[in-house]
Amino acid sequence: MLAQRTLKSLTRAVGVGLHSGQRVELTLRPAQPDTGIVFRRVDLPEPVDIPVSTLAVTDTRMASTISTGNARVHTVEHLMSACAGLGVDNLYVDITAEEVPILDGSSASFVFLLQSAGIVLQNAPRRFIRVKQPVAVRQGEGAQAKWARLDPYHGFKLRFEIDFAHPAVDSTGQCVEFDLGTGSYSRDIARARTFGFTKDVEMMRSSGLALGGGLDNAIVMDDYKVLNADGLRYDDEFVKHKILDAMGDLYLVGKPLLAAYSAFRSGHALNNLLLRELEARPEAWEIVTFDNERLAPAGFAQPARAW
């Protein structure tokens, strides 16, 4: 049986929120089979659980935010991406503020935390959402067009293309494909950092965003070049971060997908719209398990490889 996975022990981290600038403590704890991934605001007078789901996403401006009632957690996508890349199904995420810490701006620190705690198999089958028919969403026309789609595929792969008219981005790869069955998430995707432009920072901060951002947790560019002294971690780090984000956004559906995702200039909002379109079309997907893990797609049978 291809089994569900959780952590062997709890693990902790302390950091600041990218947008809020608030100090936040994060504790990742094991959870029982079929729990899913549950964020818990432990700083509130009464702790509030926010299980991840497509409809729990209530804000997609510059990050993915989930909420229930008045309790919310911002910027969940990097941690969710690490869980997707390592195949973690069940997890409690205790958090002492309303934003997940940005740490180094990638998911590498979350990968390290999860692997340090240890990933264990549970006595319950892993449930997948298998896409049976193409599902697509699109916004804008001409130069403003952006789209995302899911196609049937026995596995999970992502293809993303960006389109930034900026010298530093133009000189790198703007299209990447990553297949969970043949690549290594930890090595190929996890270290890609979020990025931004100095010209946007003042506007964002006036809107209460990017208050915790800086050269230690993001790639920052002026009108011509990357300002980080150590340069890029990957030649195509910009588009790889979009793959990282998409993996986190898509895992908010609550189960791993068996599908081929492709996108052009997509973001958090369009990724969530794609999940909502999928869920609105029950004929386009089904829930499957694998009694024999040898029949499962490549990349799912074994926990993700380290660096």
Side-chain angles (χ1 to χ4, degrees), residues 43-200:
D43 57 314
L44 300 176
E46 292 288 335
V48 176
D49 286 358
I50 311 174
V52 304
S53 71
T54 299
L55 296 180
V57 177
T58 53
D59 193 350
T60 51
R61 292 172 298 169
M62 308 302 295
S64 285
T65 296
I66 59 173
S67 66
T68 182
N70 293 322
R72 61 184 58 85
V73 179
H74 303 291
T75 320
V76 300
E77 61 272 11
H78 297 172
L79 174 55
M80 290 299 299
S81 184
C83 290
L86 270 60
V88 175
D89 298 285
N90 303 303
L91 183 68
Y92 283 110
V93 182
D94 293 350
I95 188 168
T96 63
E98 65 175 22
E99 188 175 15
V100 175
I102 191 63
L103 302 180
D104 77 338
S106 73
S107 64
S109 297
F110 296 118
V111 167
F112 176 78
L113 285 170
L114 294 167
Q115 290 185 327
S116 297
I119 297 171
V120 294
L121 300 178
Q122 298 178 283
N123 189 26
R126 195 168 198 215
R127 295 180 174 85
F128 296 82
I129 295 176
R130 177 158 62 192
V131 173
K132 298 163 57 180
Q133 299 174 13
V135 175
V137 291
R138 181 184 181 91
Q139 291 179 343
E141 297 298 333
Q144 302 303 313
K146 51 186 176 181
W147 54 266
R149 64 179 287 147
L150 294 168
D151 287 288
Y153 181 66
H154 187 63
F156 185 51
K157 68 178 178 180
L158 305 96
R159 184 183 189 277
F160 204 110
E161 183 176 357
I162 57 176
D163 181 29
F164 284 97
H166 186 283
V169 185
D170 290 345
S171 64
T172 73
Q174 297 207 45
C175 184
V176 143
E177 182 169 295
F178 172 73
D179 192 317
L180 197 61
T182 56
S184 164
Y185 174 83
S186 302
R187 181 192 67 220
D188 302 332
I189 301 296
R191 296 177 65 245
R193 293 161 294 175
T194 192
F195 58 92
F197 304 93
T198 53
K199 65 181 181 181
D200 297 330

Side-chain angles (χ1 to χ4, degrees), residues 5 11 21 44 65 92 107 109 123 142 171 175-176 186 194 208 213 220 225 228 236 243 249 255 271 285 296 300:
R5 299 172 186 147
T11 183
L44 300 176
T65 296
Y92 283 110
S107 64
S109 297
N123 189 26
S171 64
C175 184
V176 143
S186 302
T194 192
V220 182
K225 63 185 183 298
N228 302 64
D236 47 5
I243 292 270
D249 288 343
K255 295 178 178 63
N271 290 336
W285 57 276
F300 286 106

